[in-house]
């Protein structure tokens, strides 16, 4: 019986032991599984943390890029660039939680300028500068040198087309803000604060880290240093390098299990986020979780499950409440930002609509004014066609003036439309400043004379007379400003234009200042702030009676900006205005002007009532080897002449202004000749048409004439060829002799256009044949003999077949001599893209309507030689 009890006890103990063993085995197995599971979960948690940081970072940086892109898109089209900069500055500052953030314009060498005009230097890695040069985005920590203090700060930069800001050339635009705006995205609350964070580019160079030390900002290669220090093997180094270049993601165990390295791509700036955590930090966390798991098993799975469910339920409710509050707050902020942006856009649209409505009202009035004159004087001319030709000529001249004004209105509207659409282009060709200045005077002289204005064009220190520029656009800039000066200056006032070359330009470049000054009605301070905005004119009783679209200054400002220059204005009501345009041009190397041996060392006398003109001419004479003197009095010229003879050091050259205040220039010449005889050259300098006084001047002893403004090359030519200088200024255009007998095919669907072209061409001695459309022109040329037609003037917009298609068909003719006939587009399609389309279709050249006879003859000379 005792044995039985013992055996029973043994069985119980055995069973108990088995149960205990089973329990120990189960606990050990559960702990091991839990450990493995926890280790796996740790890696997944590490991956999730990196993924959350990557998503937050990419969202913020992408938003910054979007704002920078908006600025870049508006740099050349938006006249309110300051408004766009202010708006984007606000959003970027809010986005990065840094009110002191800066929008930057960045050069390729790291030099920068803030939107407020502060110039500084970014201590940025060379690899990042190279990425900007390759038009790639960057986002990284940099050192910023400002106010002699270096700050560690974060830069997000977007490359763009090269452009100019205040005369400086930049190739990227960026936003610089406090690193806390990025550090907050990369905060890691776990791992006992031992997580090391880095962002590296495709070459493994550190662009951001949460660690302290300047070495990380000097092209620091993270993986290379980890390999050198033994934290990763050669195999891991190659694998991680490959993963980073391919924007891979994953977790690696390094240094024999001492560190965990997680990596994931930051696609917004083509870099990789790397997180390194010591295994001790990770294991301590895992062991704490393991202890909790063991205790939960001992206490009981049900209690653990119940508590887990309760905790999960409460956590879920709290998380939902927090998420809802956060969502509502973010939604509120987004709505407020959207409403603010919508208000700005609405105000801008309202302003634009109001301005354009006013513009249409102005245009309706301004177009009807010249149209009324054209219609009225045409009716009068028809009614008086058999009367005195003087009356008829007067009517036709007034029709011509009104037509030119109407054409200028249309051109302004078209130019503004092309500027807003971004289609206007700057075409640089070789240009002569003397020709530009004299052409400007010729255009303005009629308006100046009609208002009895005092008109000056002067030059100051102009050393480079030949430049590369868009002559049409430079002429347009100066005409827009100068014609306004004439328009708004009362009779008897003064308008002055000055060409000044400023020293200090780089080699093979020249800096010029063009200033236009008047004594006109002036402008208010409020209007000056908006003068360069389209469709704006000052509202006062004087201006309202003057015709204009309010587009001229807006067009001028846009063209100057596209040429990389600046335009400014100063004015006061009733005290006149001054516009100053600054431009830089490439120069044409035409060599230095030598001294004139025959005059080297001799005295010269300049007489002009304008001291600036005297000083400018004196400098030119000095460079020619003479010893110049000047005076503003005609009587003093006579006195100095007598004194020079008495001193036995006579003047060998005289340059005398025609209109002197105390004595007429011709009278001065007459008296000087009585003292010096006929051998000394005397040159009359005049701002007026000297042909009417040429006979009287020659009889008084004038040797030659020079027109203001006077350039160095013109003065040299006058001095070297004083005897026949006047012949250079008496040319009149005549049709070349070789025009006679040439046959021209004019293709135009408008009968009036064909009639005008035929009359102009026949006046030059050529024969004309006419075609009404492109199909008819192709048939006529195909059926003609070789050499029958010498040239074709082709309209573009025609029925049946347009000019482009006709030119293509002609160029495809089997007979090459017929196919190669010169074709000139003569069309109202006057823009640069129209000219390029004509050339692409096979035409040789492009001439825009309305046709200027001299330009037509010059172009025909080119192809009929």
């Amino acid at each position: 019986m005792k044995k039985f009890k013992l055996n029973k006890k043994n069985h119980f103990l055995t069973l108990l032991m088995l149960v205990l063993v089973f329990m120990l085995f189960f606990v050990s197995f559960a702990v091991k599984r839990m450990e493995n599971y926890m280790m796996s979960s740790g890696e997944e948690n590490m991956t999730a943390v990196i993924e959350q940081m990557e998503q937050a970072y990419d969202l913020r940086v992408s938003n910054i890029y979007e704002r920078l892109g908006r600025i870049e898109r508006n740099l050349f089209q938006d006249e309110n660039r300051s408004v766009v900069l202010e708006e984007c500055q606000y959003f970027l500052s809010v986005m990065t939680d840094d009110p002191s953030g800066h929008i930057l314009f960045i050069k390729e060498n790291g030099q920068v300028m803030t939107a407020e005009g502060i110039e500084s230097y970014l201590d940025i890695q060379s690899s990042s500068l190279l990425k900007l040069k390759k038009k790639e985005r960057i986002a990284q920590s940099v050192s910023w040198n400002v106010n002699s203090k270096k700050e560690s700060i974060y830069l997000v930069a977007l490359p763009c087309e090269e452009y100019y800001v205040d005369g400086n050339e930049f190739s990227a635009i960026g936003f610089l803000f406090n690193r806390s705006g990025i550090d907050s995205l990369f905060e890691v609350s776990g791992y006992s604060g031992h997580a090391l964070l880095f962002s590296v580019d495709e070459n493994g160079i550190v662009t951001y880290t949460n660690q302290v030390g300047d070495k990380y900002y000097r092209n620091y290669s993270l993986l290379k240093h980890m390999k050198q220090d033994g934290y990763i093997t050669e195999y891991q180094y190659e694998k991680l390098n490959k993963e980073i270049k391919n924007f891979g993601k994953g977790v690696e165990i390094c240094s024999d299990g001492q560190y965990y390295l997680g990596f994931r791509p930051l696609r917004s700036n083509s870099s990789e986020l790397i997180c390194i955590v010591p295994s001790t930090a990770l294991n301590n966390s895992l062991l704490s979780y393991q202890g909790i798991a063991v205790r939960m098993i001992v206490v009981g799975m049900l209690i653990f499950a119940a508590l887990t469910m309760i905790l999960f339920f409460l956590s879920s409710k709290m998380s939902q409440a927090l998420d809802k509050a956060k969502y509502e707050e973010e939604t509120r902020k987004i709505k407020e930002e959207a409403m603010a942006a919508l208000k700005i856009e609405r105000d801008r649209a309202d302003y634009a609509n109001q301005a354009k409505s006013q513009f249409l009202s102005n245009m309706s009035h301004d177009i009807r004014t010249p149209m009324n004159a054209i219609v009225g004087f045409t009716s009068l001319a028809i009614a008086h066609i058999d009367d005195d030709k003087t009356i008829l000529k007067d009517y036709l001249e007034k029709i011509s003036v009104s037509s030119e004004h109407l054409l200028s209105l249309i051109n302004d509207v078209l130019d503004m439309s092309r500027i807003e659409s971004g289609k206007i282009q700057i075409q640089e060709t070789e240009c002569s400043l003397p020709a530009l200045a004299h052409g400007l005077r010729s255009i303005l002289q009629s308006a100046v004379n009609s208002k009895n204005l005092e008109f000056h064009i002067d030059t100051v220190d102009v050393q480079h007379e030949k430049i590369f520029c868009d002559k049409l656009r430079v002429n347009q800039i100066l005409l827009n400003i100068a014609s306004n000066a004439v328009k708004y200056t009362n009779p008897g006032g003064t308008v002055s234009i000055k060409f000044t070359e400023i020293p200090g330009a780089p080699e093979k470049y020249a800096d010029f200042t063009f200033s236009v000054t008047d004594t006109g009605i002036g402008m208010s301070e409020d209007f000056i702030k908006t003068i360069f905005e389209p469709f704006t004119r000052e509202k006062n009783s004087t201006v309202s009676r003057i015709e204009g679209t309010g587009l001229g200054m807006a067009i001028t400002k846009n063209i100057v900006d596209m040429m990389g220059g600046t335009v400014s204005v100063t004015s006061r009501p009733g005290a006149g205005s001054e516009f100053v345009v600054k431009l830089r041009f490439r120069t044409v190397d035409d060599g230095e002007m030598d001294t004139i041996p025959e005059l080297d060392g001799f005295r010269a006398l300049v007489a002009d009532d304008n001291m600036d003109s005297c000083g400018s001419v004196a400098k030119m004479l000095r460079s020619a080897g003479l010893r110049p003197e000047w005076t503003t009095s005609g009587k003093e010229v006579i006195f100095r002449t007598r004194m020079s003879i008495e001193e036995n050091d006579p003047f060998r050259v005289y340059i005398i202004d025609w209109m002197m205040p105390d004595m007429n220039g011709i009278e001065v010449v007459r008296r000087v000749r009585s003292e010096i005889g006929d051998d000394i050259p005397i040159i009359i300098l005049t701002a007026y048409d000297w042909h009417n006084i040429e006979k009287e001047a020659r009889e008084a002893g004038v040797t030659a004439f020079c027109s203001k403004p006077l350039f160095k090359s013109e003065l040299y030519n006058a001095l070297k060829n004083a005897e026949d200088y006047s012949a250079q200024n008496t040319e009149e255009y005549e049709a070349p002799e070789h025009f006679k007998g040439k046959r021209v095919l004019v293709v135009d669907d408008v009968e009036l256009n064909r009639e005008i072209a035929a009359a102009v061409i026949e006046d030059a001695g050529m024969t004309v044949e006419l075609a009404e459309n492109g199909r008819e022109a192709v048939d006529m040329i195909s059926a003609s003999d070789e050499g029958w037609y010498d040239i074709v003037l082709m309209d573009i917009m025609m029925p049946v077949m347009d000019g482009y298609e006709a030119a293509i068909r002609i160029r495809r003719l089997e007979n090459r001599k017929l196919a190669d006939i010169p074709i000139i587009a003569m069309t109202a399609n006057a823009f640069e893209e129209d000219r390029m389309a004509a050339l692409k279709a096979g035409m040789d050249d492009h001439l825009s309507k309305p046709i200027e006879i001299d330009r037509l003859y010059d172009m025909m000379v080119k192809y009929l030689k």
Side-chain angles (χ1 to χ4, degrees):
M1 189 72 181
K2 186 177 179 181
K3 186 177 180 180
F4 170 74
K5 288 183 179 181
L6 182 59
N7 290 336
K8 187 175 182 180
K9 183 178 180 180
N10 288 338
H11 284 296
F12 175 76
L13 291 174
T14 301
L15 182 60
L16 180 61
M17 289 294 296
L18 288 174
V19 170
L20 290 175
V21 170
F22 176 79
M23 290 180 63
L24 289 173
F25 176 80
F26 176 79
V27 170
S28 175
F29 175 77
V31 169
K32 187 66 176 177
R33 289 295 301 270
M34 182 65 70
E35 183 179 355
N36 292 336
Y37 175 78
M38 296 288 283
M39 290 288 290
S40 175
S41 297
E43 293 183 6
E44 292 178 1
N45 176 263
M46 186 177 189
T47 301
V49 169
I50 299 175
E51 181 178 0
Q52 291 174 5
M53 289 189 285
E54 176 260 335
Q55 291 174 353
Y57 177 89
D58 279 352
L59 177 61
R60 181 163 298 178
V61 171
S62 297
N63 287 337
I64 295 175
Y65 279 137
E66 191 277 331
R67 288 290 174 180
L68 294 177
R70 180 174 179 187
I71 298 175
E72 192 272 337
R73 288 192 299 273
N74 286 277
L75 280 175
F76 300 103
Q77 295 101 354
D78 194 344
E79 293 80 16
N80 294 321
R81 181 176 14 173
S82 61
V83 175
V84 175
L85 286 172
E86 182 179 354
E87 175 191 344
C88 291
Q89 174 85 20
Y90 168 76
F91 281 111
L92 290 170
S93 297
V94 172
M95 191 182 301
T96 58
D97 196 24
D98 183 6
S100 62
H102 296 278
I103 293 176
L104 300 180
F105 300 101
I106 306 170
K107 293 185 178 181
E108 289 184 356
N109 63 356
Q111 288 183 324
V112 299
M113 184 175 73
T114 68
E116 296 82 11
I118 299 174
E119 295 185 356
S120 184
Y121 182 83
L122 287 179
D123 189 0
I124 188 171
Q125 297 170 355
S126 56
S127 59
S128 299
L129 289 176
L130 183 60
K131 290 181 73 172
L132 282 179
K133 189 173 183 181
K134 292 180 179 179
K135 304 299 181 185
E136 297 178 12
R137 302 173 173 183
I138 65 168
Q140 67 174 83
S141 298
V142 297
S143 292
W144 187 31
N145 294 313
V146 62
N147 298 326
S148 302
K149 180 181 178 183
K150 183 181 290 187
E151 297 180 4
S152 178
I153 205 158
Y154 204 81
L155 171 69
V156 178
L158 179 71
C160 56
E161 296 298 325
E162 295 181 349
Y163 55 91
Y164 287 84
V165 177
D166 296 334
N168 294 307
E169 182 180 359
F170 299 91
S171 60
I173 184 167
F175 187 68
L176 201 66
F177 55 96
N178 195 292
R179 267 190 42 172
S180 61
I182 294 298
D183 291 340
S184 63
L185 302 177
F186 290 151
E187 288 182 353
V188 182
S189 58
Y191 309 137
S192 303
H194 294 296
L196 309 179
L197 285 171
F198 300 87
S199 67
V200 300
D201 62 18
E202 65 272 16
N203 298 314
I205 303 300
V206 173
T207 59
Y208 167 85
T209 179
N210 63 354
Q211 302 303 297
V212 178
D214 288 342
K215 67 178 182 178
Y216 296 112
Y217 302 104
R218 297 291 186 275
N219 297 315
Y220 185 87
S221 176
L222 177 64
L223 297 181
K224 181 178 179 181
H225 282 83
M226 289 185 69
K227 184 185 73 170
Q228 291 175 351
D229 295 339
Y231 291 103
I232 57 176
T233 64
E234 182 69 28
Y235 170 77
Q236 288 177 317
Y237 173 79
E238 296 295 335
K239 178 182 178 182
L240 289 171
N241 261 329
K242 184 177 180 181
E243 290 286 350
I244 289 174
K245 289 185 183 297
N246 294 326
F247 300 105
K249 58 183 178 180
V251 177
E252 279 287 315
I253 300 175
C254 306
S255 190
D256 297 326
Q258 296 184 39
Y259 293 94
Y260 290 83
L261 185 150
F263 53 96
R264 187 175 185 86
L266 300 174
R267 300 193 180 276
S268 59
N269 67 340
S270 302
S271 62
E272 194 83 2
L273 177 63
I274 295 178
C275 179
I276 303 173
V277 181
S279 58
T280 54
L282 185 62
N283 290 340
N284 287 337
S285 175
L286 294 176
L287 288 174
S288 65
Y289 283 117
Q290 179 180 346
I292 292 172
V294 171
R295 287 193 297 273
M296 287 297 178
I297 293 173
V298 173
V299 173
M301 296 301 297
L302 292 176
I303 298 175
F304 175 76
L307 291 174
T308 301
M309 290 296 293
I310 293 171
L311 290 173
F312 177 79
F313 178 77
L314 293 175
S315 175
S316 176
K317 287 293 185 180
M318 291 177 63
S319 177
Q320 289 178 6
L322 290 173
D323 288 346
K324 182 178 180 181
K326 184 177 180 181
Y327 172 77
E328 290 175 350
E329 178 65 18
E330 290 179 351
T331 302
R332 184 186 64 79
K333 289 182 178 179
I334 291 172
K335 286 182 178 179
E336 288 178 354
E337 291 178 359
M339 290 300 293
L342 285 173
K343 185 178 184 303
I344 293 173
E345 294 298 330
R346 184 185 63 202
D347 292 344
R348 187 177 297 168
D350 289 343
Y351 174 79
N353 289 333
Q354 182 180 359
K356 291 183 179 180
S357 297
Q358 183 63 42
F359 161 72
L360 291 175
S361 176
N362 291 343
M363 284 299 297
S364 176
H365 170 269
D366 291 338
I367 288 177
R368 289 175 188 274
T369 300
M371 281 298 297
N372 181 62
I374 293 169
V375 173
F377 284 117
T378 300
S379 301
L380 289 172
I382 294 172
H384 294 83
I385 196 166
D386 296 326
D387 294 350
D388 187 355
K389 289 185 178 180
T390 303
I391 297 175
L392 187 60
K393 181 181 179 183
D394 180 57
Y395 290 155
L396 293 176
E397 287 176 349
K398 290 176 179 176
I399 291 172
S400 178
V401 170
S402 298
S403 299
E404 290 175 0
H405 176 62
L406 180 60
L407 182 61
S408 72
L409 295 177
I410 295 171
N411 285 337
D412 277 353
V413 175
L414 294 177
D415 269 345
M416 198 65 217
S417 174
R418 295 180 70 234
I419 288 171
E420 289 183 340
S421 63
K423 292 183 178 179
I424 194 169
Q425 297 179 353
I426 301 299
Q427 301 291 329
E428 287 192 349
T429 57
E430 186 175 321
C431 172
S432 167
L433 281 178
L436 183 70
H438 293 310
L440 190 64
R441 173 176 289 283
S442 298
I443 295 171
L444 294 171
Q445 194 69 60
S446 175
V448 167
N449 292 342
S450 67
K451 297 187 72 173
N452 193 28
L453 299 177
E454 186 177 344
F455 183 50
H456 306 289
I457 302 184
D458 298 305
T459 63
V460 179
D461 296 335
V462 175
Q463 304 298 321
H464 298 90
E465 298 180 11
K466 292 184 178 180
I467 57 175
F468 287 103
C469 70
D470 190 324
K471 180 180 178 182
L472 176 65
R473 297 303 175 189
V474 174
N475 197 54
Q476 186 176 8
I477 291 169
L478 297 179
L479 269 179
N480 280 350
I481 298 174
S483 60
N484 273 356
V486 173
K487 187 188 302 182
Y488 296 113
T489 300
N490 294 324
T494 301
V495 174
S496 300
I497 303 174
K498 186 178 294 183
F499 289 43
T500 306
E501 183 170 347
I502 307 299
E507 187 178 357
K508 296 185 179 180
Y509 286 86
D511 290 333
F512 282 89
T513 294
F514 303 94
S515 60
V516 180
T517 308
D518 64 68
T519 59
I521 63 176
M523 294 172 283
S524 66
E525 185 176 347
D526 290 338
F527 179 67
I528 290 176
K529 297 176 182 178
T530 62
I531 188 173
F532 296 116
E533 296 179 7
F535 315 114
T536 57
R537 300 179 70 198
E538 186 159 25
K539 295 179 176 63
N540 61 52
S541 58
T542 302
V543 174
S544 63
R545 296 193 299 268
I546 299 176
E547 297 173 342
T549 61
L551 290 174
M553 289 299 98
I555 293 171
T556 298
K557 179 66 165 62
N558 277 277
I559 295 175
V560 170
D561 287 346
M562 284 188 288
M563 297 178 73
T566 61
V567 57
S568 60
V569 57
T570 55
S571 180
R572 285 189 300 112
S577 305
E578 181 182 18
F579 284 81
V580 177
V581 177
K582 295 182 180 179
L583 294 170
R584 173 172 290 178
F585 303 112
R586 290 190 298 122
T587 58
V588 178
D589 187 10
D590 53 355
E592 293 290 333
M593 296 182 182
D594 299 326
T595 59
I596 303 174
E598 296 83 0
L599 300 175
D600 192 17
F602 287 106
R603 296 172 77 185
L605 183 59
V606 181
D608 196 307
D609 60 329
N610 186 303
M611 289 190 292
D612 288 339
S613 294
C614 289
S616 180
V617 175
K619 285 184 179 180
M620 298 178 193
L621 291 169
R622 191 174 293 111
S623 66
L626 288 99
R627 292 181 290 131
E629 300 175 19
W630 59 269
T631 177
T632 59
S633 167
K635 293 179 180 180
E636 189 174 345
V637 171
I638 300 168
F639 173 75
R640 289 198 185 190
T641 298
R642 291 171 181 169
M643 290 295 296
S644 70
I645 295 173
E646 291 178 5
E647 295 169 355
N648 199 25
D649 188 11
F651 294 107
R652 292 295 300 272
V653 172
Y654 289 83
I655 299 177
I656 300 174
D657 186 30
W658 173 19
M659 303 296 289
M660 300 284 286
D662 58 344
M663 185 181 295
N664 183 283
I666 295 177
E667 181 60 27
V668 174
V669 172
R670 188 177 289 113
R671 296 195 184 188
V672 169
R673 279 294 181 210
S674 67
E675 301 286 343
I676 65 174
D678 299 330
D679 296 333
I680 304 300
I682 301 179
I683 299 170
I684 283 288
L685 184 62
T686 176
Y688 305 93
D689 185 2
W690 49 264
H691 294 90
N692 296 329
I693 62 153
E694 181 178 7
K695 183 178 179 181
E696 180 186 1
R698 293 287 186 187
E699 291 174 352
V702 173
T703 308
F705 297 85
C706 279
S707 297
K708 289 184 179 180
L710 183 63
F711 287 82
K712 187 187 293 186
S713 61
E714 296 172 324
L715 179 59
Y716 272 48
N717 290 335
L719 294 173
K720 289 182 177 180
N721 308 288
E723 294 299 327
D724 58 355
Y725 184 77
S726 61
Q728 301 175 21
N729 295 278
T730 58
E731 300 181 7
E732 291 187 4
Y733 189 91
E734 294 183 2
E737 184 67 27
H738 60 265
F739 275 10
K740 295 178 180 178
K742 300 295 184 181
R743 189 179 302 274
V744 182
L745 176 59
V746 176
V747 189
D748 199 306
D749 61 319
V750 179
E751 182 178 359
L752 182 59
N753 289 343
R754 295 197 300 272
E755 182 180 342
I756 293 172
V760 170
I761 295 168
E762 288 173 349
D763 283 348
M766 292 178 279
T767 303
V768 178
E769 292 189 16
L770 305 173
E772 295 185 10
N773 56 66
R775 166 58 66 189
E776 188 175 333
V778 173
D779 292 342
M780 292 172 69
I781 293 174
S782 301
S784 68
D785 296 329
E786 294 179 2
W788 179 255
Y789 296 112
D790 295 288
I791 196 168
V792 179
L793 302 181
M794 181 79 73
D795 189 23
I796 298 299
M797 305 300 290
M798 297 182 292
V800 184
M801 181 184 292
D802 64 30
Y804 296 139
E805 181 64 24
I808 293 171
R809 297 284 184 91
I810 292 170
R811 295 303 185 217
R812 290 177 179 173
L813 293 175
E814 293 183 3
N815 188 325
R816 297 315 306 164
K817 290 188 176 181
L818 295 180
D820 293 336
I821 185 172
I823 303 175
I824 298 175
M826 193 166 70
T827 172
N829 295 12
F831 295 144
E832 177 62 20
E833 53 266 30
D834 300 317
R835 188 182 75 85
M836 298 304 296
L839 298 179
K840 185 176 180 181
M843 300 187 189
D844 296 281
D845 223 319
H846 179 276
L847 191 64
S848 61
K849 295 177 182 177
I851 301 302
E852 297 176 21
I853 296 175
D854 289 352
R855 287 188 62 210
L856 174 61
Y857 285 169
D858 288 342
M859 192 168 288
M860 294 181 74
V861 165
K862 180 179 177 181
Y863 296 102
L864 289 178
K865 283 184 178 180

